[in-house]
Amino acid sequence: MLTVRALSEPQLFGFEKNWAELLSRSDADPLFMSWPWLVSWWEVWGNKLNLQLLLLAVYDRDDQLVALAPLYASRYRTPIGWRLKRLHVIGNAWKLGPTVRTEYVSCICDRQYKEQALEALSVYLKGEAWDELILADATESEVAGWGQTLEHQMSVTCHVRSEAEGIAIDTAGSHDEWLATLGKNTRLKVYNRRSLFEGALGGHRLAWSDHENFLEILNDFHVTRWGKPCFDADAVRFHRLLLARLGDTQKAQLSVLKAGENVVSVLYDIHARNRIYNLQAGFREQFHPKISLGTLHLGYSIEDAFRNVEIDSYDLLAGSGKNTFYKSRFKGQTVRFPTVEYVRSPVLKAAYGARGYLPQGLVSSVNRFFRL
């Protein structure tokens, strides 16, 4: 009943409307699996990393699009000359190079066709030549769904390479009740210090519409705090493309905190469907001994999400802070992002098997040799 077709790069760039319609009928992430995010990623890193597009579209008998697997292939050679082919999902470049991070990775499937579509995609990939498939920062449901279908269709072994954690705050309830769940010190930083900031320090928050200037300010704060910019030149280009492409169901929410006329904090959020994603933040670290600007700024945006009946989650995403996993203090739901490798190559299967019998000191040598 279903047909799988590999689409070309020109088709990818012209697929915005079809992609958006399918995404609206799916449970895939409305930001990270959207056309603006993934096509912008591909435009920046596709050629630079010498990647081969493998965008698989699934159609029903009436030629209606019911699923997309936004994949690409990369090739590498081991030190003794073996050539291997690794498949990835567009948005992450695991072991290839630094790019922006794409989370909640999955296929995009019409809810009515999900099981059949994943089966059809697995059958198609069974007929393709490849050695490994990487689902980086995937949803746990994708690993349980498509991952198990892949294992059923062909002889692959599954290896969980890492697992990251993020925090998503449920904003469907009461803001006051959420504040009451916070620890005393966190509540002070998130909310109670507003009186000092807005009073004696003359602070206020406002929206920011100049994307170019905003990214520059964000990078400047990160250089001061971390010794390097938040976004390198490629990442800046990606975010410029993304912000220019956001559609009707997505909206950038850039905000700044000012003390007098000076910008002291910036927050980069995007609203997609019923969720706010906190992509990045930057602030003046040594601003005031009683105020944590980053936490205070997040407090304003989280309260906005609670007040907006269209929003049911404020997502802090994966990653930790400079010194601690500060996101856990916001009393949200823990979200796990496994990175899973499906190995098809007999050579790589043997390499993985041999690692279990080697002294620990030799395991890293095997990893480097096979680029595991």
Side-chain angles (χ1 to χ4, degrees):
M1 292 177 59
L2 302 181
T3 303
V4 181
R5 303 173 197 157
L7 304 185
S8 66
E9 188 171 289
Q11 287 175 304
L12 166 64
F13 281 94
F15 220 52
E16 179 178 8
K17 182 179 178 181
N18 306 69
W19 195 304
E21 289 175 350
L22 174 63
L23 189 62
S24 70
R25 307 194 308 271
S26 80
D27 295 319
D29 189 81
L31 174 61
F32 292 112
M33 290 294 102
S34 70
W35 181 87
W37 185 279
L38 293 182
V39 79
S40 298
W41 190 97
W42 185 258
E43 184 171 350
V44 175
W45 286 286
N47 287 332
K48 181 168 185 174
L49 296 177
N50 195 29
L51 310 178
Q52 177 186 351
L53 183 67
L54 186 61
L55 175 59
L56 301 180
V58 183
Y59 294 87
D60 68 9
R61 64 176 63 184
D62 298 318
D63 210 33
Q64 177 179 335
L65 181 69
V66 297
L68 282 169
L71 304 176
Y72 69 85
S74 66
R75 298 178 184 274
Y76 66 97
R77 180 186 295 180
T78 67
I80 63 170
W82 284 330
R83 292 182 177 273
L84 298 171
K85 182 178 180 180
R86 183 178 280 159
L87 303 184
H88 310 247
V89 180
I90 298 173
N92 285 316
W94 188 77
K95 291 190 176 292
L96 291 176
T99 73
V100 298
R101 186 174 194 167
T102 298
E103 302 174 31
Y104 294 104
V105 165
S106 72
C107 291
I108 306 160
C109 300
D110 186 311
R111 297 179 190 91
Q112 297 182 37
Y113 290 86
K114 184 169 185 179
E115 185 176 337
Q116 303 97 304
L118 293 179
E119 190 81 16
L121 287 166
S122 299
V123 170
Y124 183 95
L125 287 177
K126 186 177 181 179
E128 292 287 297
W130 52 274
D131 300 293
E132 301 170 278
L133 186 149
I134 307 297
L135 295 180
D137 286 330
T139 63
E140 291 184 302
S141 62
E142 191 72 0
V143 174
W146 195 27
Q148 290 181 5
T149 305
L150 284 168
E151 292 181 76
H152 174 73
Q153 279 294 330
M154 64 193 82
S155 178
V156 295
T157 58
C158 175
H159 302 272
V160 178
R161 300 304 304 270
S162 64
E163 185 174 85
E165 289 189 349
I167 296 292
I169 301 167
D170 182 353
T171 60
S174 161
H175 179 249
D176 290 341
E177 290 177 0
W178 172 73
L179 280 177
T181 68
L182 303 179
K184 180 179 179 181
N185 191 46
T186 302
R187 186 164 57 250
L188 183 70
K189 293 178 179 179
V190 166
Y191 188 79
N192 295 344
R193 287 301 189 199
R194 287 186 193 179
S195 57
L196 172 61
F197 178 69
E198 296 173 1
L201 300 176
H204 57 286
R205 184 178 66 137
L206 67 155
W208 200 265
S209 58
D210 186 343
H211 297 168
E212 296 284 336
N213 183 246
F214 184 89
L215 294 173
E216 290 178 6
I217 297 171
L218 177 59
N219 264 347
D220 288 344
F221 279 130
H222 274 256
V223 169
T224 300
R225 187 168 188 237
W226 300 89
K228 61 181 181 180
C230 171
F231 300 133
D232 63 17
D234 288 331
V236 168
R237 183 179 171 221
F238 164 82
H239 284 287
R240 287 172 178 166
L241 291 169
L242 171 67
L243 291 168
R245 284 177 168 139
L246 292 179
D248 295 336
T249 60
Q250 301 162 326
K251 182 181 179 182
Q253 295 188 343
L254 313 181
S255 63
V256 303
L257 297 184
K258 281 189 170 184
E261 294 302 313
N262 298 317
V263 175
V264 294
S265 179
V266 296
L267 203 63
Y268 181 3
D269 289 349
I270 291 182
H271 174 190
R273 203 178 291 169
N274 57 351
R275 181 170 294 216
I276 303 292
Y277 300 81
N278 175 232
L279 296 183
Q280 269 298 345
F283 52 89
R284 187 188 298 176
E285 192 166 19
Q286 303 300 327
F287 171 68
H288 190 281
K290 292 186 176 182
I291 292 179
S292 175
L293 279 173
T295 305
L296 185 73
H297 201 163
L298 279 171
Y300 282 108
S301 292
I302 292 169
E303 182 178 10
D304 283 350
F306 272 100
R307 305 300 185 209
N308 187 340
V309 294
E310 296 179 357
I311 304 301
D312 60 25
S313 179
Y314 188 91
D315 202 328
L316 297 169
L317 302 175
S320 59
K322 187 174 183 179
N323 300 310
T324 63
F325 185 46
Y326 71 93
K327 297 175 184 180
S328 63
R329 299 171 187 162
F330 287 85
K331 302 302 181 182
Q333 177 185 1
T334 299
V335 183
R336 291 179 173 83
F337 299 101
T339 291
V340 181
E341 179 181 19
Y342 296 93
V343 179
R344 192 183 189 189
S345 162
V347 172
L348 292 180
K349 287 180 182 178
Y352 273 108
R355 290 195 318 173
Y357 298 96
L358 293 174
Q360 187 60 38
L362 292 179
V363 170
S364 59
S365 298
V366 172
N367 288 347
R368 286 195 301 271
F369 184 83
F370 289 100
R371 298 177 67 179
L372 300 180

